């Protein structure tokens, strides 16, 4: 056994010294130290020799292993150095340089940043709320009666599990309005909150992704009126889409605002005159309205003293409208296809 070990050591050392590149050194390493390498197998045999001889053979085997490992390390250093020198020798400084490819932020991330900056510049502050929340904050506190059919419009993902008496089920937040009552409850006035976050709905087709983003504004104070809402919308539309664009509000219905509106923006091509692209001159952007008294009450405020407005739009939607992108499948945004993403 001792002789065998010494033999293995000698062959290994000569192989190591003869290795001319890192690959053959790696092969040698496997050949001796790998799972079915020569030394590994020999060490397994030690259990078969008589007990009294084992300690001495064991010590020898360890020494052999250490010697081989050290030799491997030395040779590896030597070969890597040689390799680097060879590379240096081959560099032709007159060759044009190779530009490293640079990444950039995803276009939705770019939009999130741009939108945040616009609202922060007029005094809104960004707040964060749970993405997984109670039914209460997504619906009940927003004046949706239990089992009201309007809840179905939000195509919500509910999470299986216990139901809380007051809070109801747990869900993936289907809109950023979930932050409204959470914000009012903090009891800090005036409120000028911007909630820009992921939302989830059970929809996946050419114009919907199950995860998307909304940005929501909520302003609550004494004497807040529709003119404040309209001014804020106009400011956003001009800052984001450009000076020539206008916004308008149309009556609509939401459970949590009264009155409620839908907001339109003039088409970027015809600026409101009407063209092939937009038909009537206006493009629909999203919802808005004056905070419903029941929502203020749910957050602990007296609606006779305080009023407020709220709006909530889709980030992906305004992004498409701004860029004039005609993507025939919105899911492309989240497909991680570099051919698509590197264009922005
Ligand atoms: N949460 C509404 C939606 O997802 C939009 C909205 C927000 C409407 C705020 C009014 C006020 O469609």
């Amino acid at each position: 056994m001792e002789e065998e070990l010494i033999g293995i050591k000698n062959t290994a050392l000569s192989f190591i010294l003869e290795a001319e590149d890192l690959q053959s050194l790696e092969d040698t390493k496997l050949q001796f130290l790998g799972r079915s390498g020569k030394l590994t197998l020999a060490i397994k045999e030690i259990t078969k020799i008589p007990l009294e001889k084992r300690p001495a053979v064991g010590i020898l085997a360890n020494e052999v292993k250490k010697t081989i490992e050290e030799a491997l390390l030395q040779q590896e250093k030597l070969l890597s150095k040689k390799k680097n020198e060879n590379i240096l020798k081959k560099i032709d400084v007159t060759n044009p340089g190779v530009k490293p490819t640079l990444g950039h932020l995803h276009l939705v991330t770019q939009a999130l940043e741009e939108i945040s900056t616009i609202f922060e510049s007029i005094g809104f502050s960004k707040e964060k709320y749970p993405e997984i929340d109670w039914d209460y904050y997504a619906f009940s506190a927003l004046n949706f009666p239990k089992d009201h059919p309007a809840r179905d419009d939000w195509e919500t993902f509910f999470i299986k599990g216990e139901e809380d008496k007051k809070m109801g089920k747990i869900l993936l937040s289907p809109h950023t309005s979930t932050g409204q009552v959470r914000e009012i409850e903090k009891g800090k006035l005036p409120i000028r909150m911007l909630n820009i976050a992921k939302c989830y709905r059970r929809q996946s087709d050419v114009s919907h992704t199950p995860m998307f983003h909304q940005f929501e504004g909520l302003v609550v104070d004494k004497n807040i009126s529709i003119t404040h809402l309209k001014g804020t919308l106009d400011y956003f539309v001009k800052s984001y889409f450009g000076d020539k664009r206008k916004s308008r509000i149309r009556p609509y219905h939401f459970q949590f605002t009264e009155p409620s509106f839908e907001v339109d923006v003039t088409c970027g091509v015809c600026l409101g005159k009407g063209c092939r692209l937009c038909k009537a001159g206006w493009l629909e952007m999203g919802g808005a309205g004056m905070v419903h008294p029941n929502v203020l009450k749910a957050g602990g405020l007296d609606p006779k003293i305080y009023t407020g407005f709220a709006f909530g739009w889709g980030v992906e939607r305004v992004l498409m409208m701004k860029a004039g992108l005609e993507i025939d499948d919105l899911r492309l945004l989240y497909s991680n296809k570099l051919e698509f993403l590197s264009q922005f």
Side-chain angles (χ1 to χ4, degrees):
M1 189 77 197
E2 281 96 335
E3 275 150 43
E4 193 190 338
L5 287 170
I6 305 280
I8 291 175
K9 181 176 86 177
N10 290 340
T11 1
L13 290 181
S14 66
F15 276 27
I16 291 169
L17 283 178
E18 277 164 25
E20 281 182 348
D21 52 40
L22 288 167
Q23 184 56 50
S24 50
L25 191 66
E26 185 61 31
D27 293 344
T28 308
K29 186 175 174 180
L30 276 180
Q31 201 182 334
F32 289 91
L33 303 182
R35 262 220 275 166
S36 42
K38 286 199 176 101
L39 183 63
T40 318
L41 294 180
I43 288 175
K44 277 189 192 151
E45 292 295 307
I46 294 180
T47 51
K48 291 185 190 154
I49 61 174
L51 205 59
E52 66 278 11
K53 280 195 175 171
R54 269 188 226 168
V57 179
I59 290 172
L60 180 65
N62 273 338
E63 276 170 14
V64 169
K65 191 169 180 196
K66 229 167 130 194
T67 315
I68 296 179
E69 280 170 348
E70 271 164 20
L72 279 166
L73 213 69
Q74 288 287 333
Q75 186 71 353
E76 191 189 320
K77 274 191 200 147
L78 202 80
L79 290 174
S80 325
K81 206 170 139 209
K82 255 197 203 158
K83 189 176 163 195
N84 287 340
E85 281 166 5
N86 280 343
I87 291 175
L88 281 178
K89 260 187 231 150
K90 279 189 206 143
I91 288 180
D92 175 356
V93 290
T94 60
N95 272 345
V98 182
K99 263 198 188 166
T101 39
L102 263 190
H104 63 71
L105 294 177
H106 190 278
L107 69 162
V108 174
T109 311
Q110 293 176 30
L112 294 174
E113 287 186 356
E114 192 179 349
I115 294 166
S116 303
T117 310
I118 292 173
F119 284 105
E120 277 163 353
S121 73
I122 51 169
F124 281 77
S125 61
K126 231 155 100 170
E127 302 293 336
K128 277 220 163 280
Y129 309 97
E131 253 173 59
I132 301 175
D133 210 338
W134 297 104
D135 174 290
Y136 175 77
Y137 287 110
F139 297 118
S140 304
L142 293 179
N143 195 38
F144 284 80
K146 255 204 160 34
D147 305 322
H148 191 280
R151 284 171 184 250
D152 299 344
D153 296 346
W154 272 260
E155 308 250 19
T156 310
F157 287 107
F158 287 97
I159 291 179
K160 277 192 195 142
E162 294 259 324
E163 231 177 276
D164 183 88
K165 247 205 185 127
K166 176 178 175 205
M167 298 295 178
K169 289 186 192 157
I170 295 174
L171 44 71
L172 300 187
S173 182
H175 55 173
T176 41
S177 304
T178 309
Q180 287 192 16
V181 171
R182 280 193 175 274
E183 186 60 37
I184 301 171
E185 272 178 354
K186 290 183 190 165
K188 273 193 247 151
L189 289 157
I191 293 170
R192 272 188 239 113
M193 150 294 236
L194 177 72
N195 178 19
I196 180 158
K198 292 193 179 81
C199 302
Y200 302 86
R201 293 189 197 175
R202 301 166 69 98
Q203 288 179 326
S204 178
D205 56 47
V206 291
S207 51
H208 297 94
T209 49
M211 185 285 300
F212 60 102
H213 298 79
Q214 283 190 338
F215 59 107
E216 176 120 359
L218 174 71
V219 171
V220 179
D221 201 355
K222 288 177 182 156
N223 301 319
I224 296 292
S225 71
I226 296 179
T227 52
H228 295 113
L229 168 63
K230 186 65 171 68
T232 308
L233 298 180
D234 274 341
Y235 177 80
F236 171 75
V237 165
K238 290 200 187 319
S239 314
Y240 187 71
F241 294 104
D243 260 354
K244 296 201 177 104
R245 310 285 284 273
K246 288 190 189 127
S247 74
R248 76 171 178 195
I249 51 181
R250 266 185 298 112
Y252 199 71
H253 174 76
F254 293 104
Q255 285 295 127
F256 39 98
T257 44
E258 183 56 39
S260 300
F261 311 105
E262 224 166 29
V263 183
D264 297 334
V265 181
T266 46
C267 159
V269 176
C270 65
L271 297 176
K273 287 191 202 90
C275 67
R276 211 161 39 90
L277 208 88
C278 64
K279 304 208 171 74
W282 295 89
L283 303 167
E284 186 188 307
M285 201 157 64
M290 301 308 291
V291 181
H292 195 289
N294 288 349
V295 175
L296 292 168
K297 270 191 231 161
L301 287 183
D302 183 349
K304 287 198 199 83
I305 306 174
Y306 293 100
T307 49
F309 69 76
F311 57 86
W313 303 337
V315 172
E316 287 81 355
R317 192 178 171 82
V318 296
L319 169 66
M320 294 296 128
M321 284 166 64
K322 174 173 174 156
L325 284 180
E326 288 190 44
I327 295 180
D328 50 16
D329 189 340
L330 199 71
R331 291 171 290 193
L332 200 54
L333 278 178
Y334 296 112
S335 63
N336 292 337
K337 286 213 169 74
L338 283 180
E339 303 94 302
F340 171 71
L341 293 173
S342 55
Q343 297 174 62
F344 304 95

